[in-house]
Coordinates of all heavy atoms in Angstrom, one line a residue:
P1 N -39.7 8.0 -45.2 CA -39.8 6.5 -45.2 C -40.0 5.9 -43.8 O -39.5 6.5 -42.8 CB -38.5 6.1 -45.9 CG -37.5 7.2 -45.5 CD -38.4 8.4 -45.5
P2 N -40.7 4.7 -43.8 CA -40.9 4.1 -42.5 C -39.7 3.3 -42.0 O -39.8 2.1 -41.6 CB -42.1 3.1 -42.9 CG -41.8 2.8 -44.3 CD -41.3 4.0 -44.9
D3 N -38.5 3.9 -42.0 CA -37.3 3.3 -41.5 C -37.3 3.0 -40.0 O -36.9 1.9 -39.6 CB -36.1 4.1 -41.9 CG -35.8 4.2 -43.4 OD1 -36.4 3.3 -44.1 OD2 -35.1 5.0 -43.8
Y4 N -37.8 3.9 -39.2 CA -37.8 3.6 -37.8 C -38.7 2.4 -37.5 O -38.2 1.4 -36.8 CB -38.3 4.8 -36.9 CG -38.1 4.5 -35.5 CD1 -36.9 4.9 -34.9 CD2 -39.0 3.9 -34.7 CE1 -36.6 4.6 -33.6 CE2 -38.7 3.6 -33.4 CZ -37.5 3.9 -32.9 OH -37.2 3.6 -31.5
S5 N -39.9 2.4 -37.9 CA -40.8 1.3 -37.6 C -40.4 0.0 -38.4 O -40.7 -1.1 -37.9 CB -42.2 1.6 -37.9 OG -42.4 2.0 -39.3
G6 N -39.7 0.2 -39.5 CA -39.1 -1.0 -40.2 C -37.9 -1.7 -39.6 O -37.8 -2.8 -39.7
F7 N -37.1 -0.9 -38.9 CA -35.8 -1.4 -38.4 C -35.7 -1.4 -36.9 O -35.0 -2.2 -36.4 CB -34.7 -0.7 -39.0 CG -34.5 -0.8 -40.5 CD1 -34.8 0.3 -41.3 CD2 -34.2 -2.0 -41.1 CE1 -34.7 0.2 -42.7 CE2 -34.1 -2.1 -42.5 CZ -34.3 -1.0 -43.3
Y8 N -36.3 -0.4 -36.2 CA -36.0 -0.2 -34.8 C -37.1 -0.5 -33.9 O -36.9 -1.0 -32.7 CB -35.5 1.2 -34.6 CG -34.3 1.6 -35.4 CD1 -34.4 2.7 -36.3 CD2 -33.1 0.9 -35.4 CE1 -33.3 3.1 -37.1 CE2 -32.0 1.3 -36.1 CZ -32.1 2.3 -36.9 OH -31.1 2.8 -37.7
G9 N -38.3 -0.2 -34.2 CA -39.4 -0.5 -33.3 C -40.7 0.3 -33.6 O -40.7 1.0 -34.6
D10 N -41.6 0.3 -32.8 CA -42.9 1.0 -33.0 C -43.0 2.2 -32.0 O -42.1 2.4 -31.2 CB -44.1 0.1 -32.9 CG -44.3 -0.5 -31.6 OD1 -43.5 -0.3 -30.6 OD2 -45.2 -1.4 -31.5
E11 N -44.1 2.9 -32.1 CA -44.3 4.0 -31.1 C -44.3 3.5 -29.7 O -43.9 4.2 -28.8 CB -45.6 4.7 -31.5 CG -45.9 5.9 -30.6 CD -45.0 7.1 -30.9 OE1 -44.2 7.0 -31.7 OE2 -45.3 8.1 -30.2
T12 N -44.8 2.3 -29.5 CA -44.9 1.8 -28.1 C -43.5 1.8 -27.5 O -43.2 2.2 -26.4 CB -45.5 0.4 -28.1 OG1 -46.9 0.5 -28.5 CG2 -45.5 -0.2 -26.7
S13 N -42.5 1.3 -28.3 CA -41.2 1.2 -27.8 C -40.6 2.5 -27.4 O -39.8 2.7 -26.5 CB -40.2 0.4 -28.7 OG -40.1 1.1 -30.0
V14 N -40.9 3.5 -28.3 CA -40.4 4.9 -28.1 C -41.0 5.5 -26.9 O -40.3 6.1 -26.0 CB -40.6 5.8 -29.3 CG1 -40.2 7.2 -29.0 CG2 -39.9 5.3 -30.5
V15 N -42.3 5.4 -26.7 CA -43.0 6.0 -25.6 C -42.6 5.3 -24.3 O -42.4 6.0 -23.3 CB -44.5 6.0 -25.8 CG1 -45.3 6.4 -24.6 CG2 -44.9 6.8 -27.0
R16 N -42.4 4.0 -24.3 CA -41.9 3.4 -23.1 C -40.6 3.9 -22.6 O -40.3 4.0 -21.4 CB -41.9 1.8 -23.3 CG -43.3 1.2 -23.2 CD -43.2 -0.3 -23.3 NE -44.6 -0.8 -23.2 CZ -45.0 -1.9 -23.9 NH1 -44.2 -2.5 -24.7 NH2 -46.3 -2.2 -23.8
I17 N -39.7 4.1 -23.5 CA -38.3 4.7 -23.1 C -38.5 6.0 -22.4 O -37.8 6.4 -21.5 CB -37.4 4.9 -24.4 CG1 -37.1 3.5 -25.0 CG2 -36.2 5.7 -24.1 CD1 -36.3 3.6 -26.3
H18 N -39.5 6.8 -22.8 CA -39.7 8.1 -22.2 C -40.8 8.2 -21.1 O -41.1 9.3 -20.6 CB -40.2 9.1 -23.3 CG -39.2 9.3 -24.4 ND1 -39.0 8.5 -25.5 CD2 -38.3 10.3 -24.5 CE1 -38.1 9.0 -26.3 NE2 -37.5 10.1 -25.7
S19 N -41.2 7.0 -20.6 CA -42.2 6.9 -19.6 C -41.7 6.5 -18.3 O -40.6 6.0 -18.1 CB -43.3 6.0 -20.1 OG -43.9 6.4 -21.2
G20 N -42.5 6.8 -17.2 CA -42.2 6.4 -15.9 C -41.2 7.3 -15.1 O -40.6 6.9 -14.2
N21 N -41.1 8.6 -15.6 CA -40.1 9.5 -15.0 C -40.8 10.6 -14.3 O -40.2 11.6 -14.0 CB -39.2 10.0 -16.1 CG -38.5 8.9 -16.8 OD1 -37.7 8.1 -16.1 ND2 -38.6 8.8 -18.1
G22 N -42.1 10.5 -14.0 CA -42.8 11.6 -13.4 C -42.9 12.8 -14.2 O -42.7 12.8 -15.4
Q23 N -43.5 13.9 -13.6 CA -43.6 15.1 -14.4 C -42.3 15.8 -14.5 O -41.5 15.8 -13.6 CB -44.6 16.0 -13.7 CG -46.0 15.4 -13.7 CD -47.1 16.4 -13.1 OE1 -46.7 17.4 -12.5 NE2 -48.3 16.1 -13.2
H24 N -42.1 16.4 -15.7 CA -40.8 17.1 -15.9 C -41.0 18.3 -16.9 O -40.4 18.3 -18.0 CB -39.7 16.2 -16.4 CG -40.2 15.1 -17.4 ND1 -40.5 15.4 -18.7 CD2 -40.4 13.8 -17.2 CE1 -40.8 14.3 -19.3 NE2 -40.8 13.4 -18.5
E25 N -41.9 19.2 -16.5 CA -42.2 20.3 -17.4 C -41.1 21.2 -17.7 O -40.9 21.6 -18.9 CB -43.4 21.1 -16.8 CG -44.8 20.4 -16.9 CD -45.3 20.2 -15.6 OE1 -44.9 20.6 -14.6 OE2 -46.4 19.5 -15.5
D26 N -40.2 21.5 -16.7 CA -39.1 22.3 -17.0 C -38.1 21.7 -18.0 O -37.7 22.3 -18.9 CB -38.3 22.6 -15.7 CG -37.2 23.6 -15.9 OD1 -37.4 24.6 -16.7 OD2 -36.1 23.4 -15.4
M27 N -37.9 20.3 -17.8 CA -37.0 19.6 -18.8 C -37.7 19.7 -20.2 O -36.9 19.8 -21.2 CB -36.9 18.2 -18.3 CG -35.9 17.4 -19.2 SD -35.8 15.7 -18.7 CE -34.9 15.8 -17.2
D28 N -39.0 19.5 -20.2 CA -39.6 19.5 -21.5 C -39.5 20.8 -22.2 O -39.2 21.0 -23.4 CB -41.1 19.2 -21.4 CG -41.3 17.7 -21.0 OD1 -40.4 16.9 -21.1 OD2 -42.5 17.4 -20.6
R29 N -39.7 21.9 -21.4 CA -39.5 23.3 -22.0 C -38.1 23.5 -22.5 O -37.9 24.1 -23.6 CB -39.9 24.4 -20.9 CG -41.3 24.7 -20.8 CD -41.6 25.9 -20.0 NE -41.1 25.7 -18.6 CZ -41.8 25.1 -17.7 NH1 -42.9 24.6 -17.9 NH2 -41.3 25.0 -16.4
R30 N -37.2 23.0 -21.7 CA -35.8 23.2 -22.2 C -35.4 22.4 -23.4 O -34.7 22.7 -24.2 CB -34.9 23.0 -20.9 CG -35.0 24.0 -19.9 CD -34.2 23.6 -18.7 NE -32.8 23.9 -18.8 CZ -32.1 24.6 -18.0 NH1 -32.6 25.2 -17.0 NH2 -30.8 24.8 -18.2
A31 N -36.0 21.1 -23.5 CA -35.7 20.3 -24.6 C -36.3 21.0 -25.9 O -35.7 20.9 -26.9 CB -36.4 18.9 -24.4
I32 N -37.5 21.6 -25.8 CA -38.0 22.3 -26.9 C -37.2 23.5 -27.2 O -36.9 23.8 -28.4 CB -39.5 22.8 -26.5 CG1 -40.4 21.5 -26.4 CG2 -40.0 23.7 -27.6 CD1 -41.8 21.8 -25.8
S33 N -36.6 24.2 -26.3 CA -35.8 25.3 -26.6 C -34.5 24.8 -27.3 O -34.0 25.4 -28.2 CB -35.4 26.0 -25.2 OG -34.4 27.0 -25.5
C34 N -33.9 23.7 -26.8 CA -32.8 23.1 -27.5 C -33.1 22.7 -28.9 O -32.3 22.9 -29.9 CB -32.3 21.8 -26.8 SG -31.5 22.1 -25.2
F35 N -34.4 22.3 -29.2 CA -34.8 21.9 -30.6 C -34.8 23.3 -31.4 O -34.3 23.3 -32.6 CB -36.1 21.3 -30.6 CG -36.5 20.8 -31.9 CD1 -36.0 19.6 -32.5 CD2 -37.4 21.5 -32.7 CE1 -36.4 19.2 -33.7 CE2 -37.8 21.0 -34.0 CZ -37.4 19.9 -34.4
E36 N -35.3 24.3 -30.9 CA -35.3 25.6 -31.6 C -34.0 26.0 -31.9 O -33.7 26.5 -33.0 CB -36.1 26.6 -30.8 CG -37.6 26.4 -30.6 CD -38.3 27.3 -29.6 OE1 -37.5 28.0 -28.9 OE2 -39.4 27.2 -29.5
Q37 N -33.1 25.9 -31.0 CA -31.7 26.3 -31.2 C -31.0 25.4 -32.2 O -30.2 25.8 -33.1 CB -30.9 26.3 -29.9 CG -31.4 27.3 -28.9 CD -30.8 27.1 -27.5 OE1 -30.2 26.0 -27.2 NE2 -31.0 28.1 -26.7
A38 N -31.4 24.1 -32.3 CA -30.8 23.2 -33.2 C -31.3 23.5 -34.6 O -30.5 23.3 -35.5 CB -31.2 21.7 -32.8
L39 N -32.5 24.0 -34.8 CA -33.0 24.4 -36.1 C -32.1 25.5 -36.7 O -31.8 25.5 -37.8 CB -34.4 24.9 -36.0 CG -35.5 23.8 -35.7 CD1 -36.8 24.4 -35.4 CD2 -35.5 22.8 -36.9
T40 N -31.7 26.4 -35.8 CA -30.8 27.5 -36.2 C -29.4 26.9 -36.5 O -28.7 27.2 -37.5 CB -30.7 28.6 -35.1 OG1 -31.9 29.1 -34.9 CG2 -29.6 29.6 -35.5
D41 N -28.9 26.0 -35.6 CA -27.6 25.3 -35.9 C -27.4 24.7 -37.2 O -26.4 24.7 -37.8 CB -27.3 24.3 -34.8 CG -27.2 24.9 -33.4 OD1 -27.0 26.2 -33.3 OD2 -27.3 24.1 -32.4
V42 N -28.6 24.1 -37.7 CA -28.5 23.4 -39.0 C -28.8 24.4 -40.2 O -28.9 23.9 -41.3 CB -29.4 22.2 -39.1 CG1 -29.0 21.2 -38.0 CG2 -30.9 22.5 -38.9
G43 N -29.0 25.6 -39.9 CA -29.2 26.6 -41.0 C -30.6 26.9 -41.3 O -30.8 27.5 -42.3
L44 N -31.5 26.4 -40.5 CA -32.9 26.7 -40.9 C -33.4 28.0 -40.3 O -34.0 28.1 -39.2 CB -33.8 25.6 -40.4 CG -35.3 25.7 -40.8 CD1 -35.4 25.7 -42.4 CD2 -36.0 24.5 -40.3

C-alpha cells in the first residue's frame, strides 16, 4: 500500500535525507551486508 507517500512524504524527501554526504562506498557495502543478515534474523 502507498502508506509512505500517503502519510510521510515522497521519494524526494527520502533521497534528500540520504544526500550531501559525499561518497561512502564502504558504508553502502556494509549496509547491504546488514540487510542480508537482517533477512536471516527475520527467518527468511
Side-chain angles (χ1 to χ4, degrees):
D3 291 345
Y4 189 89
S5 58
F7 297 111
Y8 303 120
D10 62 4
E11 180 72 357
T12 295
S13 64
V14 174
V15 175
R16 283 185 178 146
I17 290 169
H18 293 87
S19 297
N21 300 305
Q23 293 183 349
H24 41 74
E25 286 119 7
D26 184 45
M27 182 182 291
D28 292 346
R29 276 190 299 278
R30 291 173 77 127
I32 293 165
S33 177
C34 288
F35 186 80
E36 292 169 354
Q37 294 167 348
L39 290 171
T40 299
D41 294 343
V42 301
L44 186 56

